Amino acid sequence: MDVNERIKAVLAEHAIVLFMKGTPQFPMCGFSSRAAQALKEAGATFHAVNVLADPEVRAALPHYANWPTFPQLFIQGELIGGCDIVEDLKASGELARMVHDVSGPEHA
């Protein structure tokens, strides 16, 4: 399976995916940490992919998503954006709504 197929498989398997540097428990960059924290505060159950542990994904994802930096948040396979966008969505309440729409009321 090539790297783009692996990215598609991860996105198909999980409703909310955060491609980040490090993990939510041990983020390796401030932007990744802030994005993961915003998702947690919005009540999201999400799958995190540590791009530092997978150089192929780290190299391919900016081309796949047409987004140059990390973190990258995907919901339902669609790129939402990076740290600033995630924080803006959280501040407006939109992130919580998006998370709720995806995960359903049992996760809210």
Side-chain angles (χ1 to χ4, degrees), residues 15-87:
I16 303 173
V17 180
L18 182 65
F19 290 91
M20 63 182 293
K21 293 180 179 177
T23 65
Q25 298 77 18
F26 299 103
M28 300 301 286
C29 109
F31 296 112
S32 290
S33 176
R34 289 171 28 208
Q37 188 60 39
L39 282 167
K40 289 179 201 168
E41 290 172 8
T45 300
F46 63 97
H47 179 73
V49 175
N50 179 358
V51 298
L52 298 178
D54 194 332
E56 275 192 329
V57 169
R58 184 179 183 186
L61 193 63
H63 301 288
Y64 177 89
N66 198 24
W67 190 268
T69 58
F70 294 98
Q72 294 185 17
L73 175 65
F74 286 79
I75 297 180
Q76 301 286 62
E78 181 182 333
L79 176 68
I80 303 304
C83 179
D84 290 346
I85 291 172
V86 171
E87 288 185 320

Side-chain angles (χ1 to χ4, degrees), residues 83-97:
C83 179
D84 290 346
I85 291 172
V86 171
E87 288 185 320
D88 289 349
L89 289 170
K90 182 187 151 293
S92 72
E94 188 68 10
L95 186 61
R97 186 197 60 75

